């Protein structure tokens, strides 16, 4: 009898370990309202009370932001409110009124819009495990919500390699003061021998920080967004010599802001949309061409697992381990590693394909 009980206990123990060792990530290749409904069904149980739906409204002129009609049904299902914060640089998205007007012109008309920092700022202090900050600044209205649906366009980003869920809740929930704190000291330099004075960077810079004749970057105005690097046709603009360190620190800063908000609001679920995977982000008017074909939609309750799975799928299609380092010249892998190190989630995951019912287990250690 004892042996039977021991055997049963061992089976249960192994089974529990196996289940808990990988986080579930759901996938469909249908980038349609039906595809959104499929993945949403798997994570929507976590949503309760007043639901904030974090999206990106798309910069003026950007056409790659995820179109709101694709996820209209799920936002209506959870009675969600679109939430965003004002940006740091010169744009209609810098002021609440023009920000909302731009969102509406991009089709975000079927749910209320709340610009979280329109009424002020909340400060979060002393988040355990963070080495870069002891104070974090977020939009005040965040605390009006009980749970969050984070819908992120997974694409390239000049400073962080890629932008997904981590960037969406860190930069996306921070006030301009918090955004500046993350970008600070992230200024590009120009290799003049490569520069042809084409002025592309001058026109692209959202902070009006670059002047030509003579060429200069005003570090008082520069927010370190990296958009000038993305548009330069001659690779003349780069982060300074210690570029690796600058990028590593920027990725870690994003993660710490994400951790601070997750410590305060645990009820968050994530949908990453792998469509129009361009080299620059939705804040850019000229985000560059997609460098891999469209892949699909992922959903999870684990922010690390969904970022890892999204990155792995892009890597697989692109045929290399670090696709954003190749395509954007910046690796985003530190985001995933550091988020795991500070305890935000699991790098091991089960990719559950809802189209084929196949499950793939991906373990990294
Ligand atoms: S990084 Fe480049 S584009 Fe961005 S604010 Fe600085 S100078 Fe302008
Ligand atoms: S985009 Fe590049 S080549 Fe053109 S002005 Fe700027 S640094 Fe020079």
């Amino acid at each position: 009898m004892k042996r039977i009980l021991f055997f049963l206990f061992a089976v249960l123990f192994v089974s529990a370990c196996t289940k808990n060792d990988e986080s579930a990530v759901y996938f469909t290749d249908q980038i349609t309202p039906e595809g959104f409904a499929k993945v949403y069904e798997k994570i929507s149980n976590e949503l309760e009370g007043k639901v904030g739906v974090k999206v990106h409204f798309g910069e003026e002129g950007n056409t790659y932001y995820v179109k709101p009609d694709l996820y209209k049904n799920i936002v209506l299902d959870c009675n969600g409110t679109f939430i965003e914060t004002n940006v740091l640089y010169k744009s209609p998205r810098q002021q609440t009124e023009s920000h909302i007007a731009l969102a509406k012109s991009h089709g975000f008309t079927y749910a209320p819009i709340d610009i979280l920092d329109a009424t002020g700022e909340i400060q979060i202090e002393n988040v355990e495990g963070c080495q870069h900050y002891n104070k974090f600044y977020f939009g005040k209205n965040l605390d009006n919500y009980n749970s969050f649906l984070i819908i992120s366009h997974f694409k390239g980003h000049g400073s962080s390699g890629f932008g997904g869920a981590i960037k969406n809740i860190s930069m996306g929930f921070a006030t301009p003061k918090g955004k500046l704190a993350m970008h600070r000291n992230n200024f590009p330099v120009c290799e003049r021998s490569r520069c042809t004075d084409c002025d592309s960077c001058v026109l692209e810079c959202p902070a009006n920080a670059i002047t030509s004749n003579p060429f200069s970057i005003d570090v008082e105005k520069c927010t370190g967004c990296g958009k000038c690097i993305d548009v330069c046709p001659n690779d003349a603009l780069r982060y300074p010599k210690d570029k690796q360190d600058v990028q590593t620190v920027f990725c870690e800063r994003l993660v710490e802001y994400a951790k601070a908000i997750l410590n305060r609001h645990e009820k968050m679920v994530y949908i990453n949309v792998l469509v129009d995977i361009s080299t620059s982000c939705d804040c850019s008017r000229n985000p560059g061409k997609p460098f891999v074909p469209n892949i699909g939609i992922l959903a999870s309750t684990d922010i690390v697992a969904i970022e890892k799975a999204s990155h792995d799928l892009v890597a697989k299609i692109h045929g290399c381990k670090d696709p954003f380092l190749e395509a954007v010249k910046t690796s985003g892998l530190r985001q995933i590693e550091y988020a795991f190190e500070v305890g935000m989630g699991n790098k091991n995951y089960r990719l559950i394909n809802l189209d084929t019912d196949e499950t793939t287990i991906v373990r990294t250690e």
Side-chain angles (χ1 to χ4, degrees):
M1 184 64 182
K2 264 187 184 171
R3 287 176 69 181
I4 292 172
L5 280 174
F6 176 78
F7 176 72
L8 277 175
F9 175 77
V11 168
L12 283 172
F13 179 74
V14 169
S15 149
C17 285
T18 308
K19 271 186 188 157
N20 294 336
D21 267 5
E22 301 104 16
S23 296
V25 180
Y26 302 94
F27 172 79
T28 175
D29 65 10
Q30 297 167 29
I31 306 174
T32 60
E34 293 73 29
F36 269 93
K38 246 189 204 184
V39 297
Y40 169 76
E41 194 200 339
K42 300 293 179 186
I43 55 169
S44 56
N45 276 351
E46 301 287 322
L47 296 172
E48 61 184 29
K50 189 171 179 188
V51 179
V53 181
K54 177 66 181 73
V55 292
H56 194 303
F57 297 140
E59 186 50 82
E60 195 174 39
N62 182 290
T63 56
Y64 290 154
Y65 64 93
V66 183
K67 305 302 174 293
D69 277 352
L70 284 169
Y71 47 85
K72 180 175 180 177
N73 292 341
I74 67 174
V75 174
L76 294 179
D77 181 77
C78 65
N79 202 17
T81 297
F82 292 126
I83 53 175
E84 250 294 11
T85 51
N86 286 320
V87 299
L88 188 56
Y89 51 81
K90 204 173 154 201
S91 149
R93 297 166 61 233
Q94 194 177 29
Q95 304 293 334
T96 300
E97 207 173 303
S98 47
H99 197 162
I100 292 174
L102 177 68
K104 287 186 173 169
S105 75
H106 282 183
F108 294 84
T109 52
Y110 54 80
I113 295 174
D114 183 0
I115 303 298
L116 299 172
D117 53 330
T119 57
E121 190 167 71
I122 48 171
Q123 190 174 305
I124 299 177
E125 295 189 11
N126 300 324
V127 178
E128 201 180 328
C130 292
Q131 55 173 318
H132 296 290
Y133 301 110
N134 55 16
K135 282 183 187 156
F136 301 84
Y137 305 96
F138 293 104
K140 190 176 177 186
N141 295 355
L142 259 177
D143 286 351
N144 296 341
Y145 295 87
N146 305 105
S147 61
F148 297 84
L149 171 60
I150 311 297
I151 300 178
S152 309
H153 179 202
F154 195 83
K155 71 283 163 195
H157 187 276
S159 303
S160 59
F162 67 84
I166 290 172
K167 185 156 186 302
N168 201 5
I169 66 169
S170 53
M171 203 60 81
F173 281 161
T175 58
K177 188 174 175 182
K179 289 177 168 84
L180 187 60
M182 282 181 268
H183 276 302
R184 198 179 289 280
N185 299 331
N186 208 18
F187 311 129
V189 291
C190 181
E191 199 177 324
R192 291 297 295 149
S193 60
R194 302 179 78 107
C195 175
T196 55
D197 289 319
C198 73
D199 275 2
S200 299
C201 58
V202 179
L203 296 171
E204 180 66 17
C205 175
N208 285 337
I210 309 178
T211 46
S212 47
N213 295 322
F215 186 96
S216 71
I217 296 177
D218 184 342
V219 296
E220 293 296 317
K221 289 184 181 171
C222 176
T223 62
C225 69
K227 289 181 176 50
C228 52
I229 297 175
D230 294 338
V231 296
C232 177
N234 302 318
D235 284 346
L237 288 163
R238 294 170 182 279
Y239 286 115
K241 260 191 182 164
D242 56 350
K243 175 179 178 237
Q244 208 63 44
D245 292 342
V246 170
Q247 288 171 354
T248 299
V249 168
F250 184 65
C251 287
E252 290 178 358
R253 286 173 171 179
L254 290 178
V255 168
E256 291 194 0
Y257 257 76
K259 182 176 167 66
I261 206 65
L262 268 173
N263 275 17
R264 192 172 181 104
H265 290 286
E266 282 179 359
K267 287 265 171 202
M268 277 193 199
V269 297
Y270 310 94
I271 293 180
N272 278 6
V273 192
L274 279 59
V275 64
D276 293 329
I277 304 167
S278 46
T279 51
S280 191
C281 66
D282 298 348
C283 295
S284 180
R285 290 183 165 94
N286 303 299
K289 288 206 169 74
F291 65 95
V292 286
N294 293 341
I295 296 174
I297 310 174
L298 291 89
S300 183
T301 57
D302 183 324
I303 192 168
V304 179
I306 195 170
E307 297 285 74
K308 176 83 169 69
S310 301
H311 193 280
D312 286 351
L313 286 172
V314 176
K316 190 174 172 193
I317 300 268
H318 197 55
C320 71
K321 274 191 179 164
D322 198 342
F324 294 98
L325 183 59
E326 281 203 359
V328 188
K329 301 180 223 108
T330 307
S331 173
L333 285 171
R334 184 62 188 150
Q335 287 187 62
I336 297 166
E337 282 302 319
Y338 192 53
F340 172 70
E341 283 169 29
V342 297
M344 286 167 57
N346 197 348
K347 282 191 295 181
N348 298 331
Y349 61 90
R350 274 173 289 133
L351 188 67
I352 301 160
N353 188 322
L354 300 175
D355 305 327
T356 62
D357 282 337
E358 283 171 338
T359 296
T360 310
I361 293 179
V362 179
R363 299 183 60 84
T364 53
E365 74 249 11

